[in-house]
Amino acid sequence: MSTWSELVRRIVRAVRVTPSPRARTAARTRTATAPSYPGDFEGVPRIEYSPTRGGDPDPGEIVWTWVPYEEDHTRGKDRPVLLIGRDGPWLLALMLTSKDHDRDAADEARWGRYWMDIGSGPWDRRGRPSEVRLDRIVRVDPAAVRREGAILERTIFDETARSLKKHHR
């Protein structure tokens, strides 16, 4: 028979609550800050495609990193981004989403937000189709990249670059 303390430990282990993914994301959102974030990139980016397997994050790759909210750069959340170039020590990135904006494209455009379908890939574990946001270019600290998700096919990257140039002349 177990001692009383062993029994209590077993009960505590059995009822230990693991936070839901939504709760973990909320905690990261509240605690992650970027006090040195210089703001979003403005102007015409110099787009490059130079992905390499492993090692440092490179343009042409989809990676996961902390992205500041547009309205408050001291808050944000962890999300996938497509790296498109560099700005000094920063990487330039476009946010990805699995939400389908085709249905509300007119409303999104009214707010100045433009999205492009890039299909699905290994960056999304559930294999959902993704869209990339074209009107906001985010600066990313290379050291803040949490993990590499995939190298985007060159043809899709080039199509994204052409669409991006239309929005950033």
Side-chain angles (χ1 to χ4, degrees), residues 3 5 16 18 25 50 56 59 66 68 70 77 94 96 122 125 134 161 164 167:
T3 65
S5 60
R16 185 170 288 153
T18 302
T25 299
S50 57
D56 296 331
W66 185 83
E70 205 167 359
K77 72 179 194 177
L94 303 176
L96 268 68
R125 288 187 179 129
L134 298 170
L164 184 64
H167 293 282

Side-chain angles (χ1 to χ4, degrees), residues 119-137:
S120 59
W123 59 85
D124 185 280
R125 288 187 179 129
R126 292 194 256 165
R128 297 171 294 186
S130 295
E131 293 183 359
V132 64
R133 185 169 170 187
L134 298 170
D135 58 281
R136 181 180 182 208
I137 302 173

Side-chain angles (χ1 to χ4, degrees), residues 52-67:
T52 57
R53 298 233 179 254
D56 296 331
D58 301 301
E61 296 178 6
I62 294 176
V63 300
W64 284 78
T65 190
W66 185 83
V67 176

Side-chain angles (χ1 to χ4, degrees), residues 27-107:
R28 279 195 308 268
T29 300
R30 284 191 303 272
T31 59
T33 60
S36 63
Y37 186 72
D40 293 347
F41 179 82
E42 299 291 332
V44 180
R46 199 181 104 244
I47 299 170
E48 67 178 271
Y49 184 83
S50 57
T52 57
R53 298 233 179 254
D56 296 331
D58 301 301
E61 296 178 6
I62 294 176
V63 300
W64 284 78
T65 190
W66 185 83
V67 176
Y69 290 139
E70 205 167 359
E71 64 278 358
D72 180 359
H73 287 163
T74 64
R75 297 182 47 152
K77 72 179 194 177
D78 196 50
R79 67 180 315 132
V81 297
L82 169 61
L83 300 178
I84 60 162
R86 292 182 168 84
D87 178 35
W90 302 92
L91 291 164
L92 298 178
L94 303 176
M95 300 183 310
L96 268 68
T97 185
S98 58
K99 181 179 176 187
D100 183 9
H101 290 286
D102 290 341
R103 285 181 248 137
D104 62 350
D107 191 46

